[in-house]
Amino acid sequence: MKRFVCLALATALALPHAALAQGYPSRPVRILCPFPPGGGVDITARAIAQELAAQLGQPVVVENKPGAGGNVAAAEVARAAPDGHTLLLTLNALHAISPHLYARLPFDAMKDFSFITPLVSFNNVLVVSPGFAAQSVGELIAAAKRAPGKLTFASSGNGTNIHLVGELFKVMAGVDLVHVPYKGSAPALTDLMGGSVAMMFDTIPSAVAHVKSGKLRALGVTGARRSPLFPQVPTIAEAGLAGFEVVSWYGLAGPAAMPSELVRRLNAEAAKGATASEFRGRMEPLGFEIVTATPERMVQMLAADSARWAPVIKAAGVTIN
């Protein structure tokens, strides 16, 4: 009798969650984008929103909530009701890098979120102006060692992906480069093309047009294999810096305490959307690769990224108050 009562209680407790997943969504869904319109995060958010709207039968609206390196949008999602109607187009940096950069965050980067699925990944590319003397990664490292503290590398700001890739390069190559932070990639690229700074570890989606137009020259990509957009450009590891590999990615998350049935439903819908031909057609020409996975795998990916970046950030002495 006792076993029957326990089974009945467990079934009763599970029913509201199952009903929520089946009746979801009951109104338009919001995807908060932590950066302004036009960038890679925004492009990804709008592409997956279009797919989800078609599959869920409700509007899926992207709202740009930039600020504090993505923390403004993340904090709002962390406080939202865990009913799946407020989601975050997130990036691995928000959960694996920000906790090591910021003295205080308005949320717990792991405990305050339900992780649904990764969506797309991308590599960075080491780019220089066409007139830069070094023709390869090896030549650049040799030049930096001949003149420590003389060569500069631009970034889109302190603590950004582009900045930290440069810091990792410094550590692994044993070179002293001077970091020049800008307020965004656009002004950094302008100065790089003008020769005011020596190099930049830009993201491929941001740099691809400039490389293909000849305004920048690519020396190496940060992934484990060559980019299909630059098949002639070696990986940085292949070019002589063994073990160097950096891959960044965007994904979908919601508030903590979302029912597991709802997380599974959204995982399946988002994976279907990310592998759809129209989504791929929008993302792959920009240098993104499709990388869906289970919620559990997404958490493992974030843990691995956190372990990788913590010592780099500490060595660089980068902090943001």
Side-chain angles (χ1 to χ4, degrees), residues 27-53 58-66 73 76-77 85-90 119 251-252 279 282-283:
R27 61 182 186 276
V29 175
R30 302 162 65 218
I31 296 180
L32 269 58
C33 175
F35 292 96
V41 185
D42 178 73
I43 291 169
T44 306
R46 294 181 189 281
I48 198 63
Q50 180 176 318
E51 300 296 334
L52 289 175
Q58 283 277 4
V60 179
V61 181
V62 175
E63 295 183 15
N64 296 89
K65 295 280 180 105
E76 183 171 338
V77 172
H85 290 89
T86 303
L87 303 175
L88 177 68
L89 200 297
T90 195
L119 292 169
L252 205 58
F279 184 89
R282 292 179 68 176
M283 306 306 294

Side-chain angles (χ1 to χ4, degrees), residues 140-205:
L140 186 150
I141 292 173
K145 287 185 174 180
R146 286 194 301 270
K150 298 296 183 182
L151 292 181
T152 54
F153 76 97
S155 84
S156 52
N158 281 315
T160 59
N161 159 274
I162 295 170
H163 173 203
L164 295 177
V165 173
E167 294 293 346
L168 180 63
F169 183 87
K170 286 170 56 178
V171 171
M172 292 187 66
V175 295
D176 181 12
L177 304 174
V178 177
H179 174 225
V180 182
Y182 289 80
K183 292 183 178 180
S185 290
L189 286 167
T190 298
D191 274 6
L192 177 62
M193 288 184 281
S196 298
V197 286
M199 72 195 83
M200 184 173 176
F201 295 85
D202 198 17
T203 64
I204 286 182

Side-chain angles (χ1 to χ4, degrees), residues 128-130 192-193 209-217:
V128 297
S129 65
L192 177 62
M193 288 184 281
H210 301 298
V211 173
K212 291 195 170 184
S213 70
K215 294 179 180 177
L216 291 175
R217 183 158 45 84

Side-chain angles (χ1 to χ4, degrees), residues 4-153:
F4 174 78
V5 171
C6 290
L7 180 60
L9 179 60
T11 303
L13 290 173
L15 282 174
H17 287 175
L20 176 61
Q22 291 173 4
Y24 172 85
S26 58
R27 61 182 186 276
V29 175
R30 302 162 65 218
I31 296 180
L32 269 58
C33 175
F35 292 96
V41 185
D42 178 73
I43 291 169
T44 306
R46 294 181 189 281
I48 198 63
Q50 180 176 318
E51 300 296 334
L52 289 175
Q55 292 163 206
L56 296 173
Q58 283 277 4
V60 179
V61 181
V62 175
E63 295 183 15
N64 296 89
K65 295 280 180 105
N71 294 333
V72 171
E76 183 171 338
V77 172
R79 295 190 300 265
D83 59 8
H85 290 89
T86 303
L87 303 175
L88 177 68
L89 200 297
T90 195
L91 52 160
N92 61 331
L94 268 180
H95 309 280
I97 294 178
S98 290
H100 306 296
L101 283 176
Y102 289 85
R104 169 176 276 179
L105 288 172
F107 51 81
D108 185 297
M110 296 302 294
K111 294 179 181 178
D112 288 345
F113 298 90
S114 295
F115 296 102
I116 297 167
T117 184
L119 292 169
V120 294
S121 69
F122 58 94
N123 297 327
N124 292 63
V125 57
L126 171 55
V127 285
V128 297
S129 65
F132 189 70
Q135 298 296 308
S136 68
V137 172
E139 289 183 11
L140 186 150
I141 292 173
K145 287 185 174 180
R146 286 194 301 270
K150 298 296 183 182
L151 292 181
T152 54
F153 76 97

